[in-house]
Structures are given as structure tokens and as C-alpha cells.
Amino acid sequence: MTDPIISIKNLRKQYGPKQVLRGIDLDVYPGQVLGYIGPNGAGKSTTVKILCGLQTDFSGTVMVRGIDIRQDPVGVRQYIGYVPESADLYDVLTASEFLHFMGALYGLPKDTCDNRIQKMMGAFGMAANLDQRIDTFSKGMRQKVLLVSSLLHNPDIIILDEPLNGLDANSVIMVKVDLQACARRQNVLYCSHMMDVVEKVSDRIVLINDGRIVADGSIESLKQQGDQSLEQIFSQLTNNGMQGHAADDLMRAFEP
């Protein structure tokens, strides 16, 4: 059997007295688009930050391509492309300057970097914006620059935390197609609240709630619980009927 490209065993993390991850066990195998979903505060972004080597204060074991991330976080990063939910870019740089800077951090030859930047920014319809300063960009344009920067070094694993934020409809469609293309030779870990997108692009869904995995399988296997959409499964496993109560409470605010 193929070895997992990501292996997480008994992962636990807490901030002060608050326990955010409560024993996550997860193996991810090559060629998967993994939809990693859950409500706000469930532990998704914390898991991602640990995987990227941005947080080392945790218990348990996290292996990426056979490398223990606690022992060699820098070594792991060469295999990962990461798009955070929100990120600060260097606003005084042009898009070209920023992307060349990112390419240099990964040790890319200048010619290779030039070629990839031109083609990838062109694919996003931003070839004409390469020499514009980032502080003139809209949120969607910034998100496209972030996506390109995460893919420049051709990583084995692409981690996307709400990557469609701010993108226009055409760009959303393009990213969906790109995710499916990337899965042919790369792994994609896709974190999002957009259930329709997760359902369409993911080979496997992992649902986390209150720091624990509560569902893991293909969308077809999860639907065997009943004729439900992913959104309905998500609501059933994470809300315990609270959405209806919240809606009732909201409407009562308008009562005299």
C-alpha cells in the first residue's frame, strides 16, 4: 500500500486552558483533493498552521513526506504551497517584484521564475498588472497573487484556506478546474465553508467539530447516511439543531 504523504497521529493543541485539537488522526494519500471542513473554531486553521510549520507547540506526531515537522519544519515547507485565509502582502512592491521575491525564497532560477510568473498571472488575466503596485489591487486581485505565489515552486502539497475569498465568478470557476488538474500530480488540502465547492472538487471529505474528526469519507459514502447534501450533513453533525433556534431568536428581535 502507498505510504501517506501526510500522516497525523493524536494531534492535540491548546491555547491556554482552551483545547482546540483533541486527538486528530489523519492519513492523506497521494493524488487526493481533501476537503477539510468544519464550523468556525473547530480547529481547521490550527491544523493547517501546524502542517505548514507555523506552530510547533503541539503534542502528537505530524509527518509530511516522511519528515517529522517538529524536527525539520523548514525542510517540510519546500513541499508545501500555502494560501492562508487572510494575509498581508508587501503593498509597496509590484506584483512582479513580490512574486520574484517569493521565487527567490524557494531557490527558483530567475528564468524559471520569470516563465512561471508570466504564464500563471496570464492565466488569471493579470499579465497587464504585473508592474502595478499591490496597494492598487482589489481583494480579488490580491488573492490571485497569493494563489500564484503558493504554486510557483511546484509543491507536492497545496494547502488552501478559503482560497476563493474575493474572487469573481470566472476566477472561481478557473480555480475549481485548476484544483482538479493539480490533483493529478499533487495533493490538495482544501479548507472552506463553501460546501458546494468542497462537494464538487473533493475526493474525500473530513469534517472536524470541536477539535475532533466526526466524519471521514467520500461524498458518496457520507450521503449513504441519507439522501442529503453536504451542507445538510454538515449541519446535522455540527449544529445539533441550533440553527433553527438562532433563526427564531433573530426574528424575535423585531417583535415589540
Side-chain angles (χ1 to χ4, degrees):
M1 186 175 180
T2 305
D3 292 332
I5 196 165
I6 297 172
S7 183
I8 299 173
K9 304 297 183 188
N10 196 29
L11 178 60
R12 298 176 182 271
K13 168 68 179 174
Q14 62 185 67
Y15 298 101
K18 180 175 174 58
Q19 193 160 10
V20 180
L21 299 176
R22 303 169 183 266
I24 298 294
D25 292 306
L26 179 65
D27 287 332
V28 183
Y29 292 90
Q32 289 185 340
V33 177
L34 177 69
Y36 194 58
I37 62 175
N40 288 332
K44 301 187 305 298
S45 292
T46 299
T47 308
V48 164
K49 288 174 182 175
I50 290 171
L51 269 175
C52 293
L54 300 176
Q55 290 187 352
T56 56
D57 182 19
F58 62 88
S59 63
T61 304
V62 178
M63 307 289 289
V64 177
R65 284 198 42 157
I67 302 171
D68 188 323
I69 200 162
R70 188 184 272 109
Q71 294 181 5
D72 190 7
V74 175
V76 165
R77 286 174 197 155
Q78 66 180 307
Y79 300 114
I80 291 177
Y82 174 44
V83 178
E85 184 173 2
S86 59
D88 292 325
L89 300 177
Y90 294 101
D91 283 353
V92 297
L93 299 181
T94 66
S96 177
E97 290 168 340
F98 173 74
L99 291 171
H100 276 94
F101 170 64
M102 295 300 294
L105 290 178
Y106 285 110
L108 289 179
K110 187 177 183 305
D111 289 347
T112 301
C113 198
D114 285 340
N115 184 50
R116 291 181 183 176
I117 289 170
Q118 290 288 340
K119 289 180 178 177
M120 295 168 75
M121 289 291 280
F124 275 114
M126 290 189 64
N129 306 109
L130 273 169
D131 294 321
Q132 288 179 229
R133 278 176 41 149
I134 292 173
D135 60 4
T136 67
F137 287 0
S138 67
K139 182 178 180 181
M141 293 169 74
R142 288 167 176 259
Q143 193 70 3
K144 291 175 185 179
V145 173
L146 275 174
L147 282 165
V148 171
S149 72
S150 74
L151 298 172
L152 264 182
H153 60 298
N154 194 23
D156 291 343
I157 302 164
I158 304 167
I159 300 178
L160 306 173
D161 195 354
E162 298 290 356
L164 304 183
N165 283 349
L167 294 183
D168 57 76
N170 286 333
S171 295
V172 168
I173 293 169
M174 193 186 81
V175 170
K176 290 180 189 176
V177 173
D178 286 347
L179 286 177
Q180 292 165 331
C182 285
R184 299 186 194 121
R185 56 191 182 87
Q186 294 160 311
N187 279 75
V188 180
L189 180 65
Y190 187 100
C191 302
S192 180
H193 301 296
M194 300 175 68
M195 296 297 107
D196 59 329
V197 178
V198 173
E199 185 170 352
K200 288 174 183 174
V201 304
S202 301
D203 305 307
R204 176 183 171 195
I205 305 291
V206 171
L207 174 54
I208 181 174
N209 188 43
D210 194 27
R212 296 184 176 90
I213 292 176
V214 295
D216 182 356
S218 67
I219 186 62
E220 290 78 15
S221 67
L222 294 181
K223 284 182 175 180
Q224 287 177 2
Q225 302 175 27
D227 187 15
Q228 297 176 301
S229 67
L230 180 59
E231 186 173 5
Q232 290 169 323
I233 295 169
F234 179 95
S235 178
Q236 179 182 348
L237 292 175
T238 63
N239 280 292
N240 298 317
M242 294 303 295
Q243 282 185 337
H245 293 301
D248 290 342
D249 290 344
L250 180 63
M251 290 301 101
R252 288 194 191 99
F254 298 102
E255 294 175 0

